[in-house]
Amino acid sequence: MAKGTIGQFGYELLKRTKDQPIPVHPFIRLCLQHWDGTLEQSAAPVISGHLITEQEILTHIQLLKEDLDKVGAEAIRALHKAVVAHKADPNKN
């Protein structure tokens, strides 16, 4: 397993700044920090909308896990299919 791809999830906490005229409720955005290993606002790819409650965060994390499991299962099927095809004809693409 590629150790460099584990531990690449993070979050950003965004809240009102002094110069914002409209009050903003603090919120969390889940992000990938794979690009450079840091999380800076707008630098990391965002993988959630604005999450403002504990339940929203938990629900979104569960949905991400389910989605990742689905992608993993599809990738495994594709790999097995490719291995079988390669064994049948190693010279074919």
Side-chain angles (χ1 to χ4, degrees):
M1 185 177 302
K3 195 172 188 179
T5 60
I6 302 302
Q8 295 301 313
F9 295 97
Y11 67 90
E12 295 177 336
L13 171 62
L14 296 124
K15 53 188 176 182
R16 182 179 180 209
T17 61
K18 291 179 182 177
D19 59 338
Q20 286 178 313
I22 301 171
V24 176
H25 191 286
F27 63 90
I28 293 288
R29 289 192 309 190
L30 301 176
C31 304
L32 296 177
Q33 51 188 349
H34 181 71
W35 302 138
D36 62 6
T38 63
L39 269 178
E40 295 178 23
Q41 188 171 347
S42 301
V46 175
I47 57 173
S48 78
H50 297 176
L51 306 173
I52 61 172
T53 67
E54 181 178 342
Q55 189 57 49
E56 285 180 335
I57 294 169
L58 292 172
T59 298
H60 196 77
I61 292 291
Q62 184 59 43
L63 292 171
L64 288 171
K65 288 177 182 178
E66 291 170 6
D67 197 37
L68 192 55
D69 286 342
K70 179 183 173 191
V71 169
E74 291 172 1
I76 289 168
R77 284 192 300 274
L79 177 63
H80 286 295
K81 185 177 177 181
V83 167
V84 168
H86 177 73
K87 286 181 180 178
D89 187 357
N91 297 317
K92 193 174 180 183
N93 230 356

